[in-house]
């Protein structure tokens, strides 16, 4: 087996035989056919039923470079109900097989899974959604990324100023998916005027959005306190589920935020990197979780930079400054594994998990 870091792309090792046909929109989409082999396609998990059966959902946020297949597998072991992929640019995903293979891998246990797309028009989002439907439980439209490049391109938080566009994107995407259990959600930031934010959310609800995640800050805010009052107003103005995002750092915060706002659950990002076991009630990452990360990441041939970065985050609370510097400057998987064995008695155990990652069974020509 290749060690983490040996290559950036996880090779497709399954023998799927999903047929493809050109649909009415000119996209070669996977058909739901009966096939032999270890399939990436799997029974749909209904996000709607999760909201109905669980009092407070605990969700791992989309994180660029880091909320990938191995990390999603890890956090689900520790109480995470739903995991997101990193944000994927929809038009690149539609046009390029290389982009699809680089940006999306999964396995049969990678569920419930939401694929987050950045899009600036309805066609790109709907086209990307059609491609991903067999392999996920829902998609999410990023309407909250505050980075300048994203907003300049018409992605992310640029969209919160254009509720009619968001409404059209939701409607067209929803109309392409026949399965009502497939979730179509949006993730937003607050506008400066709460009425504008409520209007955006209500238009999205009328368009058929399944649920909405609200980051309780505006696009200009980074470390300011989360505005729970506005999140509560939004929740009270809608009949669909609402998730609160921002400064959730412990299991106790889950209850606090839900009690303050009445939301249906929370989403966490940076705190999950520091402590992937947070939703299971651990205040700091336990050694068991670090062992799990090593076993899962190695099984899934996680690239070294990602493998190492997660360990840097998880070990932050147990390392002294000098030791931290040594570990953070390691440059190979072998060196990391030797360090973990010497300092913590952690040894990679290939028999603990049997995981195989897959790409989607995409058409073998570029879609134009």
């Amino acid at each position: 087996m290749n060690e983490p870091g040996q290559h950036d792309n996880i090779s497709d090792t399954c023998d799927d035989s999903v047929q493809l046909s050109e649909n009415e929109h000119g996209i070669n989409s996977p058909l739901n056919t009966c096939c032999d082999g270890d399939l990436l396609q799997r029974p749909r998990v209904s996000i709607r039923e999760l909201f109905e059966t669980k009092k407070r959902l605990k969700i791992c946020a989309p994180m660029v470079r880091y909320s990938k297949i191995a990390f999603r597998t890890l956090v689900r072991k520790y109480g995470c109900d739903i995991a997101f992929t990193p944000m994927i640019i929809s038009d690149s995903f539609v046009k390029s097989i290389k982009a699809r293979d680089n940006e999306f891998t999964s396995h049969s246990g990678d569920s419930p899974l939401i694929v987050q797309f950045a899009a600036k028009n309805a066609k790109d989002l709907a086209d990307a959604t059609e491609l991903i439907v067999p392999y996920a439980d829902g998609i999410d439209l990023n309407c909250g990324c505050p980075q300048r490049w994203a907003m300049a391109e018409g992605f992310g938080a640029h969209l919160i100023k254009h509720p009619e566009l968001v409404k059209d994107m939701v409607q067209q995407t929803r109309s392409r998916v026949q399965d009502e259990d497939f979730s179509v959600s949006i993730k937003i930031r607050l506008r400066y005027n709460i009425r504008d934010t409520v209007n955006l959310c209500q238009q999205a609800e009328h368009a058929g959005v399944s649920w909405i995640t609200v980051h309780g800050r505006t696009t200009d805010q980074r470390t300011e306190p989360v505005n729970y009052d506005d999140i509560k107003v939004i929740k009270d103005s809608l009949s669909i589920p609402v998730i609160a995002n921002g400064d959730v750092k412990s299991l106790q915060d889950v209850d606090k935020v839900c009690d303050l706002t009445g939301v249906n659950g929370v989403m966490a990002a940076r705190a999950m990197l520091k402590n992937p076991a947070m939703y299971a009630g651990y205040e700091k990452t336990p050694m068991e979780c670090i062992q799990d990360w090593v076993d899962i990441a190695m099984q899934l041939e996680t690239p070294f930079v990602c493998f190492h970065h997660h360990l840097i985050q998880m070990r932050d609370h147990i390392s002294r400054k000098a030791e931290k510097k040594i570990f953070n400057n390691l440059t190979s998987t072998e060196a990391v594994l030797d360090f973990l064995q010497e300092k913590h008695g952690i040894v990679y155990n290939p028999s603990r998990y049997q995981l195989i990652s897959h790409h989607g069974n995409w058409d073998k020509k570029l879609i134009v």
Side-chain angles (χ1 to χ4, degrees):
M1 185 175 77
N2 297 323
E3 70 168 14
Q6 186 166 336
H7 51 69
D8 288 333
N9 298 333
I10 302 174
S11 60
D12 185 356
T13 56
C14 66
D15 186 27
D16 296 350
S17 54
V18 179
Q19 299 174 359
L20 296 110
S21 67
E22 188 170 280
N23 64 20
E24 62 181 312
H25 303 285
I27 296 179
N28 288 293
S29 300
L31 297 174
N32 290 319
T33 56
C34 237
C35 313
D36 296 327
D38 183 9
L39 292 181
L40 178 57
Q41 290 175 276
R42 49 172 171 66
R44 180 91 63 231
V45 172
S46 172
I47 305 299
R48 173 180 50 81
E49 289 184 4
L50 279 180
F51 278 113
E52 292 173 353
T53 57
K54 293 208 169 189
K55 183 179 179 182
R56 293 170 173 176
L57 289 184
K58 301 181 288 292
I59 301 175
C60 182
M63 290 178 279
V64 175
R65 293 184 298 276
Y66 299 122
S67 57
K68 295 204 170 188
I69 182 173
F71 192 67
R72 299 194 301 264
T73 304
L74 178 68
V75 296
R76 288 197 187 93
K77 191 174 186 295
Y78 290 91
C80 179
D81 297 309
I82 300 172
F84 275 56
T85 68
M87 181 183 74
I88 299 170
I89 306 297
S90 59
D91 60 344
S92 299
F93 189 82
V94 170
K95 293 174 182 176
S96 168
I97 291 173
K98 183 177 180 180
R100 296 196 287 279
D101 286 347
N102 284 341
E103 296 296 336
F104 182 76
T105 50
S106 187
H107 60 68
S108 59
D110 188 19
S111 178
L113 176 64
I114 303 295
V115 176
Q116 189 185 68
F117 287 116
K120 54 187 173 184
N121 62 68
K123 185 178 186 303
D124 285 348
L125 181 63
D127 288 351
T129 298
E130 270 200 305
L131 285 170
I132 210 69
V133 162
Y135 310 114
D137 303 298
I139 65 97
D140 183 82
L141 172 62
N142 185 319
C143 302
C145 179
Q147 295 186 43
R148 289 181 182 177
W149 74 265
M151 296 179 66
E153 291 288 332
F155 299 134
H158 170 83
L159 294 172
I160 63 176
K161 297 180 180 179
H162 303 278
E164 290 291 341
L165 176 57
V166 173
K167 179 180 179 181
D168 184 44
M169 295 169 84
V170 171
Q171 282 179 327
Q172 290 202 36
T173 302
R174 185 79 268 173
S175 70
R176 294 275 194 97
V177 182
Q178 302 303 315
D179 187 347
E180 293 183 359
D181 280 335
F182 189 83
S183 171
V184 176
S185 59
I186 63 173
K187 184 175 185 291
I188 69 167
R189 278 190 173 237
L190 297 175
R191 296 200 62 184
Y192 296 103
N193 187 325
I194 184 58
R195 286 187 227 170
D196 292 332
T197 314
V198 169
N199 176 55
L200 167 70
C201 294
Q202 289 179 335
Q203 290 211 43
E205 179 180 20
H206 295 154
V209 82
S210 306
W211 50 290
I212 296 175
T213 301
V214 182
H215 184 109
R217 296 184 177 95
T218 66
T219 55
D220 293 331
Q221 295 176 322
R222 296 294 184 273
T223 58
E224 290 83 352
V226 172
N227 189 335
Y228 294 119
D229 290 339
D230 277 9
I231 295 177
K232 185 178 190 309
V233 170
I234 293 166
K235 171 59 183 172
D236 292 343
S237 302
L238 303 174
S239 60
I240 56 174
V242 173
I243 296 294
N245 175 223
D247 285 355
V248 175
K249 300 177 181 178
S250 68
L251 188 60
Q252 290 74 26
D253 286 343
V254 175
D255 291 331
K256 181 188 80 172
V257 171
C258 290
D259 289 341
L260 280 172
T261 62
V263 294
N264 304 88
V266 301
M267 176 183 286
R270 283 175 292 182
M272 297 288 284
L273 291 177
K274 291 283 188 184
N275 180 10
M278 178 185 79
Y279 284 148
Y282 291 92
E283 293 184 3
K284 296 178 180 179
T285 306
M287 281 297 167
E288 177 189 356
C289 184
I290 296 175
Q291 176 73 66
D292 285 329
W293 171 247
V294 170
D295 294 339
I296 291 168
M298 291 290 290
Q299 278 277 310
L300 292 172
E301 301 182 1
T302 303
F304 170 74
V305 172
C306 182
F307 175 65
H308 188 214
H309 177 85
H310 279 293
L311 286 168
I312 289 172
Q313 295 287 321
M314 292 180 211
R315 293 187 69 260
D316 188 62
H317 70 285
I318 58 176
S319 299
R320 294 183 178 180
K321 188 174 181 179
E323 183 182 287
K324 195 178 297 185
K325 184 176 180 180
I326 293 171
F327 183 80
N328 293 1
N329 287 320
L330 296 177
T331 58
S332 71
T333 298
E334 182 179 5
V336 167
L337 293 178
D338 287 345
F339 184 98
L340 293 176
Q341 181 174 6
E342 179 183 345
K343 296 293 183 180
H344 308 303
I346 291 174
V347 178
Y348 169 46
N349 183 351
S351 66
R352 291 189 71 219
Y353 296 94
Q354 298 300 316
L355 301 168
I356 301 175
S357 63
H358 305 282
H359 298 302
N361 197 353
W362 320 118
D363 185 21
K364 297 306 179 185
K365 61 184 179 183
L366 295 183
I367 295 169
V368 295

